[in-house]
Amino acid sequence: MILRLCANDYHHYCYIDDGFQGRNHFVKGLLHSVQPIALENAPVYRQNRRMWTILDTVNFGKVAQIEIGALLVGGIVNDHENVMMRKGAEMGHFELIGSTIVLLFKKGHIDLLPEIKECIKGDKEVRVIQGQHIANRTVF
């Protein structure tokens, strides 16, 4: 799941579930734009500066969360590591404007809501807001 933040979005991000957050891992990289057009010209998600963390969640099992820096966004700040986490509590923030969060779930652990599935057909972006329910957990 890719969540791309726009310049006018709130640039603090929160935990997706209760559980345990492991260690933060910083990866040096470039700072390409994360606009959809930029994805056609550069492997942004592999080249841009990023930070990744494994979240051991109550409802979804282990989830890899990767924050990806973007042009004009040099800083990725995760406030905690190796701590118990609570759904909705602040995990960290991007410095300046615009960037991306990627969530990697184990196959079959989430089921996107039908309206979200419909919106993303054909590689369309769909706007979601913090706290919006977009998926359900599946039995695993």
Side-chain angles (χ1 to χ4, degrees):
M1 179 179 301
I2 298 172
L3 306 166
R4 186 176 63 83
L5 304 175
C6 296
N8 61 338
D9 288 330
Y10 183 67
H11 281 76
H12 292 239
Y13 42 92
C14 299
Y15 293 110
I16 62 166
D17 198 10
D18 294 340
F20 184 80
Q21 175 193 343
R23 196 173 125 233
N24 299 311
H25 303 271
F26 180 76
V27 180
K28 292 180 183 179
L30 303 172
L31 292 172
H32 295 291
S33 170
V34 294
Q35 295 292 322
I37 192 82
L39 300 176
E40 297 174 12
N41 301 313
V44 172
Y45 301 134
R46 290 193 325 250
Q47 289 184 349
N48 277 26
R49 179 181 302 166
R50 54 207 177 278
M51 180 147 348
W52 65 272
T53 308
I54 300 297
L55 307 177
D56 193 359
T57 69
V58 171
N59 290 296
F60 308 107
K62 291 189 189 245
V63 177
Q65 178 163 321
I66 304 105
E67 296 87 27
I68 301 172
L71 188 64
L72 303 178
V73 184
I76 301 167
V77 180
N78 279 348
D79 298 323
H80 315 283
E81 66 180 352
N82 296 319
V83 296
M84 298 303 293
M85 59 189 195
R86 299 286 303 162
K87 179 180 178 180
E90 184 172 307
M91 179 178 177
H93 66 276
F94 292 105
E95 294 176 331
L96 297 177
I97 57 172
S99 205
T100 301
I101 297 173
V102 175
L103 296 171
L104 302 176
F105 295 86
K106 288 184 178 180
K107 186 175 182 175
H109 282 217
I110 68 165
D111 184 30
L112 293 174
L113 296 179
E115 57 269 27
I116 299 294
K117 286 180 187 176
E118 186 62 32
C119 287
I120 62 173
K121 284 182 181 175
D123 292 330
K124 294 180 189 170
E125 287 191 346
V126 59
R127 182 153 179 81
V128 297
I129 58 172
Q130 182 179 331
Q132 180 179 341
H133 185 80
I134 59 174
N136 293 309
R137 93 180 220 182
T138 58
V139 178
F140 54 94

